[in-house]
Amino acid sequence: MDKIRIGIPRSIHYYYYGDLWINFFKKLDCDVIVSPRTNREIMEKGIQYANDEMCLSMKNLLGHISYLQGKCDYIIIPRIDNYGVQNQTCTNFLAIYDIVNNMFSQDILSYNIDVAHHQTEEKGFLEMGRKLGFTKKEIQRAYRDAKTFVQNKKQELIRKNIEKLNSEKEKVLLIGHPYNMYDDYIGRPIISFLEKLNVEVIYSDLFYSSITGPISKQLSRELYWKFNKESIGAIPVVQNKVDGIIFLSTFPCGPDSLVNELVMRKIHLPYINLILDDIDGRAGFETRLESFVDIMQERKRKHV
Amino acid sequence: MSKKTISFPHMGNYSIPVEYLLHHIVDANILIAPKISSRTIELGTKYSPEFVCTPFKYTLGTFIEALDMKADILIQAGGGCRYGYYSELQNQILEDLGYQFTYINLISQGKTDICKIYREFKKIDSHFHIIKALYYLFVTSKMVKYMDHVDDYIRMNIGFEIKKDSFIHANQLMLEDFKKAKGFFHLRHMYLKHFRKIKKIPIEKPSNCFKIGVIGELYTLMEPFANYDLEMILAKYGIEVKRYTNAHYLLFEKKKEVKKYLKYAREYIQYRMGADAADNIGRTKYLCTHDYDGIIHIKSSFCTPEIGAMPIINKICNQYDVPVLFFSFDANTSKVGIETRLEAFYDMIEMRRKK
């Protein structure tokens, strides 16, 4: 029998679960196909499929799915409702499975995470494995192995990220969702430009979420989006150690539009708000970032 | 100590039951903010973040107008999507503008903390009594139910009235009387009396009139200013309008209805999609299979749940061959543009009928 081919779109969910999925399915002896890094072509495909008011990250995901269409047996798209009552996700995460299911004729492999109603990640993986015809034992072993591997890798990344705080260079905290920051079309150009300007970039998602989650209460008491909690929770942790903050969001991200506005009103560090859309205009960002770095350097010189 | 002044955002006619409730349970001045106007939306837009959904701008504008009229307590609720987070940011924005006020958020983090609300009201009025409050809460919920019931009837028939504005006039009279209700039985008596009168208003309704279902995001549906009096424009064309979303539905029926909708439209959706998106998909299927001539989907711009629902609604309408018109209202939308599009839509359904 041929191996089952699983397609993983290198977009939104990939940056939370990508490693876990790849390891899990490799352990179960499936073929894994990850879509290539985002390029202009994929983005344009996504824009074609998407509703014009959808956020850029959604368009990006749809582009990746359209790339994978026909190249694999299943495309994996989870539906994430919440990680507990006060740790919800953006409504796009709730709707994405149904949207994709209606738009594409491809078979979809999906699972539901709804911790408030006792639908945990492990249950989701079990469900998914059963659909592919594996036994409970096989699935559980593969899940556990994959999970351990991913946790170790994440800890290593977090350690490296925290180490950067001791650097002598100008340090800037980049606040945003991982699927925007690490995307080759959305966030990567900005990060590499900052590195070219000799700035140390600290990522908001690479902290222990057990710390950043609760500490975000200092900035916003009523926040109930898990991913936003974790990214703004990084501010109180590092605010004495960094020289500036960059808010990176895509147009028109629902949670970011409110949360970032609130946080900007409360912090006392230099900050810049970058909103990316599907119109190509990276030159404007470069000018803004250059002057932002100048401000940080000037401020540092005064304080020393 | 002088009396406090309470104010709250507008949504359609619902300021009447809210005023009724507050008037009976706390000893404070109740300020009805001026009706939403272009000034409100201007103020709201000026101080709002760039791409927030439009209800945020409307309510913020209303709050600023109320604070300018010396309100010192503001009440806001919360809901399933971004709406739940409105309160904290609005509070911060208004504080940054230099206003002095107390902000009461009825639903924080998706839950109603009754103890907290009780403490807040006790602070406003030391005679606040919980049993009395619960009784009037019950009366108010009934009032909302009656209002919505009458509204539904009016919506179906207002396009066919013989004497112009007779429905609106009768409805106004009823609402005026509702304000004076002494208790539940008094309220019910008045409701029955007025509803009987409204039913007697002469209409001239052809049996095969055009029927249109209006679905979409809740605030834009319920606040006539936010949807540029869409329903009135439709009434002028002599169209029977069906709308599901009203305050009674959202407060009391939504929980069990959503499950029904999910089951009903299960070939299209499997999960809830946030706010009213899943409901609207279920309704679309219902409207498509029950001989409606068209569907109008309205939302404020950047309403994320509805944006997710739109491709699916489009697909259903394509399958059943029912025309659908999407509106996305912004602070800058012009009424003329909407009228033109509606006229074209009406012409189209008329032509389809003739075929």
Side-chain angles (χ1 to χ4, degrees), chain A residues 16-266:
Chain A
Y16 297 107
Y17 294 111
D19 284 335
L20 185 63
W21 288 341
I22 293 170
N23 278 293
F24 176 73
F25 288 120
K26 282 205 170 138
K27 290 247 154 63
L28 289 178
D29 207 26
C30 301
D31 265 343
V32 178
I33 303 163
V34 183
S35 61
R37 294 170 186 282
T38 317
N39 49 38
R40 185 74 213 163
E41 206 181 312
I42 286 176
M43 202 71 210
E44 257 161 20
K45 258 277 155 51
I47 291 167
Q48 211 181 324
Y49 272 103
N51 185 321
D52 52 351
E53 271 184 86
M54 278 178 185
C55 73
L56 187 65
S57 317
M58 274 284 273
K59 290 176 181 168
N60 188 4
L61 177 67
L62 293 177
H64 280 278
I65 292 168
S66 78
Y67 173 87
L68 286 172
Q69 206 181 10
K71 293 191 175 75
C72 51
D73 299 324
Y74 293 100
I75 292 179
I76 180 163
I77 297 160
R79 186 249 183 194
I80 305 171
D81 191 312
N82 57 54
Y83 297 89
V85 178
Q86 291 181 11
N87 284 318
Q88 296 178 7
T89 52
C90 159
T91 49
N92 275 339
F93 282 80
L94 274 71
I96 191 111
Y97 166 75
D98 286 314
I99 295 173
V100 173
N101 203 6
N102 279 293
M103 254 184 212
F104 298 93
S105 51
Q106 181 81 31
D107 276 335
I108 292 172
L109 198 58
S110 176
Y111 60 94
N112 184 16
I113 298 183
D114 188 348
V115 180
H117 294 98
H118 312 293
Q119 269 289 334
T120 53
E121 189 183 282
E122 196 172 349
K123 268 190 196 169
F125 272 76
L126 264 174
E127 201 180 293
M128 203 162 62
R130 280 217 191 94
K131 195 180 167 190
L132 297 176
F134 294 101
T135 60
K136 192 176 175 184
K137 227 175 192 173
E138 282 172 330
I139 302 161
Q140 275 177 337
R141 194 184 306 134
Y143 174 72
R144 233 174 288 135
D145 288 354
K147 193 82 186 167
T148 332
F149 174 82
V150 170
Q151 273 168 353
N152 289 341
K153 194 177 167 192
K154 175 113 194 200
Q155 273 190 358
E156 183 61 24
L157 285 171
I158 292 175
R159 199 182 53 76
K160 267 188 198 157
N161 193 43
I162 294 174
E163 241 169 45
K164 280 190 203 163
L165 285 169
N166 302 323
S167 152
E168 288 293 306
K169 294 192 243 175
E170 270 79 38
K171 285 161 299 217
V172 64
L173 176 66
L174 185 65
I175 294 207
H177 298 289
Y179 54 83
N180 293 335
M181 292 196 287
Y182 305 130
D183 192 277
D184 282 74
Y185 194 76
I186 303 171
R188 277 277 180 226
I190 285 169
I191 293 172
S192 51
F193 184 73
L194 282 169
E195 275 161 1
K196 219 162 60 186
L197 291 173
N198 206 19
V199 174
E200 196 74 73
V201 181
I202 292 147
Y203 302 102
S204 66
D205 68 315
L206 292 177
F207 286 93
Y208 292 104
S209 57
S210 54
I211 298 173
T212 48
I215 212 170
S216 69
K217 288 253 184 297
Q218 285 185 13
L219 284 166
S220 170
R221 269 174 295 109
E222 285 178 16
L223 185 57
Y224 53 82
W225 289 298
K226 180 184 160 75
F227 299 139
N228 280 77
K229 260 188 193 176
E230 284 167 10
S231 58
I232 69 158
I235 298 176
V237 178
V238 299
Q239 64 185 353
N240 299 324
K241 294 173 192 153
V242 294
D243 304 295
I245 295 173
I246 296 177
F247 293 94
L248 183 75
S249 59
T250 48
F251 182 84
C253 176
D256 281 3
S257 68
L258 297 173
V259 179
N260 287 357
E261 175 77 17
L262 182 82
V263 173
M264 278 177 228
R265 285 165 180 270
K266 287 193 173 174

Side-chain angles (χ1 to χ4, degrees), chain B residues 120-213:
Chain B
E120 293 281 356
F121 275 110
K122 205 80 185 166
K123 256 189 253 168
I124 304 168
D125 175 13
S126 52
H127 298 294
F128 178 74
H129 200 281
I130 190 89
I131 302 293
K132 195 177 159 197
L134 286 175
Y135 174 69
Y136 279 104
L137 204 62
F138 163 74
V139 178
T140 313
S141 73
K142 287 291 169 200
M143 191 192 283
V144 170
K145 187 182 168 183
Y146 294 152
M147 273 172 67
D148 286 339
H149 196 163
V150 173
D151 254 8
D152 276 345
Y153 179 80
I154 293 179
R155 205 169 293 122
M156 284 174 80
N157 296 305
I158 191 163
F160 313 100
E161 60 189 3
I162 289 166
K163 204 175 140 225
K164 213 175 156 251
D165 286 344
S166 45
F167 274 112
I168 292 178
H169 189 66
N171 195 28
Q172 283 305 338
L173 282 181
M174 184 185 77
L175 294 177
E176 282 303 317
D177 267 4
F178 274 8
K179 282 183 194 171
K180 294 171 207 139
K182 290 192 189 93
F184 171 61
F185 291 101
H186 189 204
L187 179 82
R188 197 178 64 173
H189 171 75
M190 286 191 303
Y191 156 71
L192 291 172
K193 190 179 86 187
H194 280 283
F195 196 32
R196 223 176 289 135
K197 261 190 212 164
I198 288 174
K199 272 185 177 164
K200 273 185 194 149
I201 291 175
I203 49 170
E204 206 175 8
K205 192 172 176 180
S207 58
N208 62 342
C209 61
F210 292 114
K211 289 195 291 184
I212 278 185

Side-chain angles (χ1 to χ4, degrees), chain B residues 209-318:
Chain B
C209 61
F210 292 114
K211 289 195 291 184
I212 278 185
V214 182
I215 54 175
E217 179 249 332
L218 62 103
Y219 187 88
T220 316
L221 277 171
M222 290 194 279
E223 171 55 52
F225 189 87
N227 62 35
Y228 299 85
D229 287 318
L230 180 100
E231 282 170 11
M232 293 310 289
I233 301 173
L234 289 176
K236 263 185 226 155
Y237 288 119
I239 295 173
E240 181 189 312
V241 178
K242 174 82 187 163
R243 185 185 94 189
Y244 293 90
T245 313
N246 52 34
H248 184 254
Y249 171 80
L250 291 171
L251 292 171
F252 305 106
E253 289 170 14
K254 188 172 159 69
K255 235 178 190 169
K256 62 173 194 281
E257 291 286 316
V258 171
K259 280 179 195 152
K260 275 189 212 161
Y261 281 129
L262 279 177
K263 213 172 165 189
Y264 180 65
R266 63 178 171 278
E267 65 260 48
Y268 301 105
I269 41 168
Q270 204 176 337
Y271 302 110
R272 286 187 306 107
M273 292 168 69
D276 288 350
D279 317 29
N280 282 331
I281 291 165
R283 288 164 189 163
T284 308
K285 193 186 162 190
Y286 180 86
L287 294 170
C288 285
T289 46
H290 285 76
D291 287 340
Y292 276 79
D293 295 289
I295 294 171
I296 296 180
H297 178 273
I298 62 178
K299 69 171 180 58
S300 62
S301 38
F302 308 131
C303 173
T304 324
E306 294 301 331
I307 293 170
M310 274 162 71
I312 304 175
I313 291 174
N314 214 348
K315 188 186 165 188
I316 299 174
C317 289
N318 263 337

